[in-house]
Amino acid sequence: MPFQPPDPHPSGARPPEIPADQVPRHIALVMDGNGRWANARGLPRIEGHKRGEASLMDVARGCIEVGVRWLSAYAFSTENWKRSPDEVRFLMGFNRDVIRRRVDEMHAMGVRVRWAGRRPRLWRSVIRELEIAEEKTRHNDVLTLTMCVNYGGRAEIADAVKQIARLVAEGKLKPDKIDERVIARYLDEPDMPDVDLFVRSSGEQRTSNFLLWQSAYAEMVFLDTLFPDFDRRHIWEACEIYAGRNRRFGGAVDKAGSTGAASVNGAAAEDAAVGGSTGAQA
């Protein structure tokens, strides 16, 4: 079936022209700053979360327009249970209702909805809406939106290791056969590609336990905008920054035509220049 293209941005802004091979395939998004946005306006924190719903939807539209194929959104972490009971109750109900409200719109645009996270403690009504959305959109292939609800990167890895340990204990897997590929098969979403671009709003510069395994070689972009003020133009900005990065994945390339000591010095100078602007790659 033909999918409905995203509505244009109200400003008339259009996506940047980035070569297809320089567009990140998978973006991890930490939606930070909702509470600070609300506090700055004398509003309850929940008002910031409400405003963030529209921001996430606009980011999804922008991803489709620029050609991103996977978007993973940090909706509720395993650490968020430490927040006040009132805020936790609101976030549980809010995540459930956002999925229910938006699933038809996402389905029309060709978005496949997935869920990553732990079942224990998560409201059954939230799980039900996530599963309904997964089933309804499972054949869509324009954009995969993974809602990470009751999710933590360390928890995901620990859960994978538990499953692997059971296989070893049952004699179904030899310990010396365990490698990165085996561990990846037991993560929440085994078919999820590695994160290319890790984006966090609000100016904070940390990963907060999000997609740790998948983000091993992700490019990090931290934007100062609080998430309720975030939209597709910010994700396009992050994509343009990404397109200008030199991704070496642990390798190094000498400058063309250089030899001997000059080659070594040139490579060192290039490493320093790249590291100063993007963070050195191991």
Side-chain angles (χ1 to χ4, degrees):
M1 59 175 272
F3 295 116
Q4 173 184 319
D7 292 335
H9 191 269
S11 71
R14 299 297 304 158
E17 295 183 1
I18 302 174
D21 62 351
Q22 295 178 28
V23 173
R25 182 184 182 197
H26 183 189
I27 295 178
L29 177 64
V30 178
M31 305 177 288
D32 194 23
N34 293 336
R36 275 172 283 165
W37 182 91
N39 291 338
R41 291 160 177 76
L43 300 171
R45 287 175 57 85
I46 61 174
E47 294 302 319
H49 296 307
K50 290 179 180 178
R51 177 72 175 260
E53 175 184 346
S55 297
L56 175 59
M57 289 304 301
D58 202 64
V59 165
R61 297 185 194 104
C63 284
I64 293 172
E65 289 182 312
V66 81
V68 173
R69 302 303 301 271
W70 289 70
L71 172 66
S72 296
Y74 210 5
F76 189 91
S77 78
T78 50
E79 287 75 36
N80 286 158
W81 295 103
K82 300 173 185 176
R83 296 188 178 186
S84 72
D86 286 343
E87 186 171 2
V88 168
R89 279 193 295 272
F90 170 80
L91 289 171
M92 284 291 103
F94 182 64
N95 279 305
R96 175 196 62 209
D97 296 343
V98 165
I99 297 159
R100 181 185 298 158
R101 277 194 298 269
R102 299 291 189 168
V103 64
D104 287 339
E105 178 183 356
M106 291 190 286
H107 184 45
M109 292 190 295
V111 177
R112 179 177 63 156
V113 179
R114 302 287 289 274
W115 164 44
R118 282 178 162 176
R119 286 179 176 268
R121 299 185 73 180
L122 193 56
W123 288 9
R124 285 193 296 271
S125 60
V126 178
I127 294 173
R128 184 168 61 251
E129 291 300 328
L130 286 163
E131 290 178 339
I132 290 171
E134 282 188 319
E135 176 60 27
K136 183 169 189 174
T137 65
R138 64 192 177 97
H139 295 302
N140 296 343
D141 61 1
V142 176
L143 173 72
T144 295
L145 172 61
T146 305
M147 297 294 292
C148 298
V149 186
N150 198 25
Y151 174 87
R154 289 179 173 179
E156 178 182 30
I157 295 169
D159 290 345
V161 171
K162 287 177 186 176
Q163 294 183 69
I164 293 168
R166 290 191 189 100
L167 294 175
V168 171
E170 294 168 359
K172 297 177 180 178
L173 179 65
K174 295 180 179 180
D176 59 2
K177 296 296 184 182
I178 299 171
D179 58 15
E180 293 178 13
R181 289 176 297 178
V182 170
I183 294 172
R185 286 203 297 270
Y186 291 93
L187 298 176
D188 286 355
E189 298 291 331
D191 64 338
M192 176 185 284
D194 283 349
V195 173
D196 298 304
L197 173 59
F198 189 108
V199 180
R200 183 176 186 136
S201 62
S202 88
E204 300 292 346
Q205 299 188 17
R206 56 181 177 272
T207 63
S208 292
N209 195 25
F210 187 44
L211 294 178
L212 298 180
W213 181 277
Q214 298 86 347
S215 298
Y217 270 100
E219 295 294 330
M220 304 290 180
V221 173
F222 303 106
L223 300 177
D224 290 336
T225 305
L226 300 176
F227 195 68
D229 292 327
F230 209 88
D231 64 21
R232 71 186 81 179
R233 294 170 296 181
H234 297 91
I235 214 68
W236 292 342
E237 177 187 354
C239 287
E240 287 186 292
I241 294 171
Y242 169 87
R245 296 280 177 89
N246 180 2
R247 306 188 78 205
R248 300 190 304 280
F249 299 97
V253 179
D254 290 338
K255 291 184 177 179
S258 60
T259 58
S263 173
V264 173
N265 292 337
E270 180 181 324
D271 290 347
V274 173
S277 60
T278 69
Q281 302 238 359

